[in-house]
Amino acid sequence: MRLVAGDPGAELHWVHTSEMADPYPYLLGGELLLTAGVQLADAGADPERFVARAAQAGAAALGFGVTPVYDTVPEALAAACARHGLPLVEVEPGTTFAAVARAVWRLRADARLHELRRVTDAQRALATAAARPGPVPAVLKVLAGRLGGRAALYAPDGSEYAAAGRGLTPEEAAALSRLVAVVARAERRPSSASDTVAAGGAVGPGGGAGGAGGGAGAPGTAGGTGGSGTEGGPGAVAARGTGGPGTAGAPAGPSPGGASRGVRLVAYSLGTGREGLTLGLALARHEEADQRIAETAMVLLSLLTAPHQGADEATRSAALVRLLLGARPEEVAPLLGEAPWTVVHARGGDGQAPPALGTPLVDAAGGTVRALLPAGREAEPQPGWTLGVSAPAGPGSLEAADAQAARALRRAEAAHTGLARHRAGGLDALVDPAEADAHARALLGPLLDSPALLETLRVWLSLHGGWDRTATALGVHRNTVRQRVARCATLLDADLEDAQTRMELWFALRRL
């Protein structure tokens, strides 16, 4: 493959082949769109419109196969791709589209595996550092090395408490100090804030402060370069994963645009420990793996800098550390209480403290209070609160119990009762019929005025997404099915390739 026009660092999510004059209805975004130019061979064909529609649909790049229709890439097509910023690669004779697709998927799989290994190795190294004498400097040193930058803890007054890694330029130091000040301010502390300093020292358009849940401002999620678009071929359009190899088996460096994006600066507030203590990072890479590594270090540093704890709190911290180091819930749960456990969800209180449920294991973040009750403790109605209670569950079934408590809470709110418990039974027993009908109408609302779309979606889902079988069942052309399903996805703003989405839509359709 040979790059004809555009950015070689385009991020590819999948490969799609089409000879349609208008590919827009059949693209999801992020594709390497492969074509032999059959649709461009007609006298009235317009390469400009074809490229414009592909770019509007979110295609990541266009691959043009020379022969048998064209001997070379049409100049008009190359010029249109350059105008619309759509990378164009020439697929040379002898390279099949199937081989291109296989190479992209292989590179993405390799990239994902490389990322998982990198994160796992870093988490193990951070945990080992936390167990050494002088754990805070040791964790910072490992963190700075794994991120290829600098890691520092800042006191409430903005001075460095401990640091490791490379020095900062004056521009980087000033920008990071501003982020630390934003995170550490006493009146309202966000969980994180971020900014970017360009290679020349200019401060980029900063990523704002993150909310209490710790969203914005985390290290970037752009993946590393995944390598060439053909097996073993020289670089054309890169198939980028999430921190994966540049070619099969080789570790990735920064993404192609990394130099222009500059150094990523992030400040995290530590949830426990000294008031105002903040973790500041300068990252050379902007990858999702860096975010996972930074989050692990943040939790460990929060525990390491916490004040002296009582026996019960120390036991809970020990359980949390064991979970972070890979222990199973079944191994950690005995530290916290006896099984079986009951999960309780509660809402209400009008700004009051969480209800007294007889357990210290309470998560009061967000609008819903969640609590874990060990064996022998029963949830009772609380004045001013609405409670949903799960069935008793072992440590390995707490995730299911959490879902049970959430459903029970919704039933309690719908029935205007103070407490509702999980009801055993099939799937239909999990949701109140009136609530299920209302949810189905809301979910499928954009389609209710189009019986043809509803019926097509119902038949398509019942036949597991089979285009030909759906077309036969409905007595229409398969392209009609594709257009209707694409229209459903657009109106519902849903990814119909996602199994969870399909399941929810199927149960909603059963209620109509």
Side-chain angles (χ1 to χ4, degrees), residues 43 80 177 187 231 279 291-292 297 299 315 332 378 424:
S177 295
E187 65 273 13
E231 298 178 272
L279 172 63
Q291 180 177 346
R292 304 283 84 80
V299 173
T315 299
V332 174
E378 188 74 15

Side-chain angles (χ1 to χ4, degrees), residues 191-354:
S191 64
S192 66
S194 65
D195 208 338
T196 301
V197 175
V203 178
T221 58
T225 302
S228 66
T230 58
E231 298 178 272
V237 176
R240 294 168 58 192
T242 48
T247 54
S255 61
S260 63
R261 289 189 298 176
V263 177
R264 185 70 167 176
L265 304 175
V266 188
Y268 292 99
S269 65
L270 300 187
T272 61
R274 304 185 181 189
E275 182 179 359
L277 205 59
T278 303
L279 172 63
L281 301 175
L283 301 95
R285 292 181 294 263
H286 307 173
E287 300 173 2
E288 184 178 359
D290 298 308
Q291 180 177 346
R292 304 283 84 80
I293 295 169
E295 289 171 349
T296 300
M298 184 178 65
V299 173
L300 289 173
L301 290 169
S302 295
L303 296 175
L304 292 171
T305 57
H308 179 72
Q309 300 168 319
D312 290 343
E313 188 176 358
T315 299
R316 293 194 292 273
S317 294
L320 175 59
V321 170
R322 292 188 187 183
L323 282 173
L324 289 172
L325 299 184
R328 294 178 302 158
E330 294 87 340
E331 300 169 350
V332 174
L335 292 174
L336 305 175
E338 296 182 2
W341 296 81
T342 302
V343 180
V344 178
H345 284 206
R347 270 200 289 264
D350 295 327
Q352 302 176 16

Side-chain angles (χ1 to χ4, degrees), residues 114-211:
H114 176 81
E115 179 195 59
L116 292 175
R117 286 176 176 170
R118 179 174 170 237
V119 172
T120 300
D121 291 345
Q123 290 176 335
R124 186 180 296 112
L126 289 168
T128 301
R132 295 173 185 162
V136 171
V139 169
L140 290 175
K141 182 178 180 180
V142 171
L143 180 60
R146 296 286 175 166
L147 298 182
R150 181 176 179 83
L153 285 181
Y154 292 84
D157 62 0
S159 61
E160 280 193 355
Y161 170 69
R166 70 168 181 84
L168 299 177
T169 66
E171 293 82 5
E172 293 169 352
L176 187 55
S177 295
R178 288 193 294 270
L179 297 179
V180 171
V182 169
V183 171
R185 61 189 178 188
E187 65 273 13
R188 186 178 180 183
R189 298 186 65 198
S191 64
S192 66
S194 65
D195 208 338
T196 301
V197 175
V203 178

Side-chain angles (χ1 to χ4, degrees), residues 441 444-455 487 491-492 512:
R441 288 191 297 271
L444 298 170
L447 306 182
L448 294 180
D449 293 332
S450 178
L453 291 181
L454 277 174
E455 184 61 15
R487 182 62 177 162
L491 292 174
L492 296 173
L512 296 181

